[in-house]
Amino acid sequence: MHISAFGAAFRTPDLRKKIIFTLALLAVYRLGSVLPTPGVDYAAIQRCIDVVQDNSVYALINLFSGGALLQLSVFALGIMPYITASIILQLLTVVIPRLEMLKKDGQSGQAKITQYTRYVTIGLAILQSTAILSLARTPGALFSGCNEQIIPNQGVWVILVMVITMTAGTAVVMWFGELITERGVGNGMSLLIFTSIIATIPSQFASIWGSRGAFAFTMTILVGLVVIAFVVFVEQAQRRIPVQYAKRMVGRRMYGGTSTYIPLKVNMAGVIPVIFASSLLFLPTLLVQLTGSQEGWAQWIQQNFGNGTGSWYLLTYFLLIVFFCYFYVSITFNPVEVADNMKKYGGFIPGIRAGRPTAEYLEYVLTRLTAPGSLYLGLIAIVPVFAFGFLGVANDFIFGGTSLLIMVGVGLDTVKQIQSQLQQRNYEGFLN
């Protein structure tokens, strides 16, 4: 967004309030991410973090919480339970007719699905907080190689208060995300993830500078800039399907006769497939970490999925991104519904008959667009890993491609929303 547009956003009172409201909630979110849960020995936690700071497994675990999880803070679980619950509900929507009917019911049905997602989120938060605290009670279980007593008082009521606090923290984070979406600027959940990721970037850059020197640091910045430029270029690409509306008489007034288009982006799914794939691949590592198992399967997961750079990890990651890209596009864009709405209002695609042929044409175009879009997402997520690995900074700059993709994608989406609201207010001013 241009500097003038940014200034115009702050000169617009209503939009300025939304931006300040969003920034204030993000600031409170970061404050809660470093505020320790009652009953935790904060000094012992910091000493243990210093012991495992070079372990890429812990850096991976901390990715979406912005460093909050290992500190056992109030917002330790972050947005992860909500993301997991959203994945579960979206998958169940395909297989459970009741949920599919709710999805088709419009706003009321979506509100019901959102309510179900909240309930599942709270349930997952209780399970995850209980599992993490059960590990934290044993010295060396949560932090490998650190035998500090993280929770000095391990009474039942103390543990219960900690579980309630961390679960309530998850509920508050979920509420923050919904508030930002409704009253602020941008998608609330995406902005919370964005904030968590950028909170860890400075420390990663400092680690690269300190351990690898100025050359590796400069090359890392250059690789990041190239990836950002490529992401921006592809995110703006779209296929415009021309649509014409026939003239029709309603009463004594003539409607229609206009031309417009349906913008189909190359990357229709945005950063959602990357977030979903990252969340799923985060679970095996977390399972091994929570169970502390030394069995063969646990060692295999630790070796191939623990550092985020293994060949099995990258292959699985790529395939999951492609799958979720197709899956998410299929549930968010319904060609049959679009074709029916066009036919209802007298719209048609030149050279294509209205109704079923239009739906088949849209599905054909969408499938061809999703193929390069999914490959683009997968490559952007894994190619920087090879580049950073070649520079020797892969362990310092954990999840480099994913972090950059999420940051740029969320940033572009937020900027577009600000610009669209500016344009809307300009139109309103012109009409008035």
Side-chain angles (χ1 to χ4, degrees):
M1 183 169 58
H2 300 295
I3 300 298
S4 58
F6 188 76
F10 271 90
R11 287 195 298 270
T12 306
D14 185 33
L15 194 52
R16 182 174 63 244
K17 290 179 181 178
K18 288 187 174 185
I19 294 175
I20 294 175
F21 177 78
T22 301
L23 293 176
L25 285 186
L26 293 179
V28 175
Y29 171 65
R30 286 307 305 158
L31 177 63
S33 298
V34 297
L35 187 67
T37 301
V40 171
D41 187 338
Y42 183 75
I45 282 279
Q46 298 308 311
R47 289 193 293 270
C48 286
I49 290 176
D50 291 337
V51 170
V52 300
Q53 64 179 352
D54 295 328
N55 191 323
S56 59
V57 175
Y58 291 94
L60 181 65
I61 291 174
N62 255 350
L63 176 68
F64 288 119
S65 66
L69 180 58
L70 292 185
Q71 297 191 48
L72 297 183
S73 66
V74 175
F75 293 163
L77 301 179
I79 203 67
M80 286 300 298
Y82 184 85
I83 294 175
T84 308
S86 299
I87 295 173
I88 292 172
L89 262 296
Q90 291 196 11
L91 290 174
L92 291 179
T93 301
V94 181
V95 297
I96 298 180
R98 167 64 178 166
L99 292 177
E100 189 176 0
M101 289 177 58
L102 287 175
K103 183 183 175 184
K104 294 179 179 179
D105 280 347
Q107 188 174 359
S108 61
Q110 190 59 47
K112 202 73 175 177
I113 293 177
T114 301
Q115 194 69 20
Y116 292 155
T117 306
R118 292 171 183 160
Y119 295 148
V120 176
T121 300
I122 297 300
L124 290 175
I126 294 173
L127 291 176
Q128 291 181 17
S129 59
T130 304
I132 291 172
L133 290 175
S134 65
L135 275 180
R137 295 174 60 187
T138 306
L142 184 61
F143 296 93
S144 180
C146 180
N147 296 319
E148 296 278 352
Q149 189 70 48
I150 300 173
I151 306 176
N153 185 354
Q154 299 186 7
V156 175
W157 291 110
V158 174
I159 299 297
L160 182 60
V161 168
M162 294 177 72
V163 170
I164 293 174
T165 301
M166 293 174 70
T167 303
T170 299
V172 171
V173 169
M174 179 173 56
W175 181 51
F176 281 177
E178 293 178 353
L179 281 179
I180 291 174
T181 302
E182 293 175 6
R183 304 182 187 178
V185 176
N187 182 284
M189 301 304 172
S190 298
L191 279 175
L192 291 177
I193 296 173
F194 174 87
T195 305
S196 297
I197 290 176
I198 62 172
T200 62
I201 295 295
S203 62
Q204 292 176 352
F205 279 145
S207 176
I208 293 171
W209 180 279
S211 61
R212 301 294 177 178
F215 176 76
F217 177 81
T218 304
M219 293 304 297
T220 302
I221 295 292
L222 289 177
V223 171
L225 290 176
V226 170
V227 172
I228 289 172
F230 183 64
V231 169
V232 171
F233 175 76
V234 177
E235 289 295 326
Q236 307 297 326
Q238 59 181 224
R239 168 76 181 274
R240 296 182 175 182
I241 307 296
V243 178
Q244 293 183 353
Y245 286 89
K247 292 183 179 180
R248 55 197 179 98
M249 185 72 72
V250 179
R252 295 186 177 183
R253 301 190 64 177
M254 182 72 72
Y255 291 92
T258 59
S259 298
T260 183
Y261 61 87
I262 301 174
L264 297 180
K265 295 179 61 178
V266 173
N267 179 23
M268 289 278 289
V271 298
I272 299 299
V274 178
I275 295 174
F276 280 8
S278 303
S279 303
L280 284 184
L281 285 181
F282 162 81
L283 295 179
T285 307
L286 180 62
L287 176 64
V288 172
Q289 196 67 35
L290 293 178
T291 58
S293 175
Q294 297 297 324
E295 299 291 334
W297 64 269
Q299 293 181 7
W300 188 86
I301 290 177
Q302 195 84 352
Q303 181 180 356
N304 293 280
F305 288 80
N307 56 13
T309 58
S311 56
W312 278 104
Y313 178 91
L314 294 177
L315 177 62
T316 308
Y317 189 33
F318 180 85
L319 293 177
L320 280 176
I321 289 176
V322 172
F323 166 75
F324 277 120
C325 193
Y326 275 95
F327 174 75
Y328 191 76
V329 169
S330 68
I331 64 175
T332 54
F333 187 91
N334 188 341
V336 175
E337 185 178 346
V338 173
D340 289 343
N341 288 334
M342 287 171 54
K343 185 177 181 180
K344 180 179 179 181
Y345 294 101
F348 62 93
I349 299 173
I352 307 295
R353 287 191 302 168
R356 184 175 179 180
T358 298
E360 292 175 349
Y361 175 76
L362 289 174
E363 187 173 358
Y364 169 74
V365 173
L366 191 63
T367 302
R368 295 191 65 182
L369 277 178
T370 305
S374 61
L375 293 177
Y376 144 78
L377 280 178
L379 290 175
I380 283 294
I382 67 173
V383 167
V385 174
F386 293 105
F388 294 138
F390 178 76
L391 294 172
V393 299
N395 290 332
D396 297 307
F397 199 52
I398 190 71
F399 257 67
T402 305
S403 301
L404 293 174
L405 186 59
I406 292 175
M407 287 190 297
V408 176
V410 174
L412 283 174
D413 180 62
T414 305
V415 165
K416 286 179 181 178
Q417 288 201 29
I418 293 176
Q419 287 181 329
S420 66
Q421 293 197 32
L422 277 175
Q423 291 177 352
Q424 180 182 356
R425 281 157 180 76
N426 288 335
Y427 285 136
E428 289 176 352
F430 174 76
L431 292 173
N432 290 334

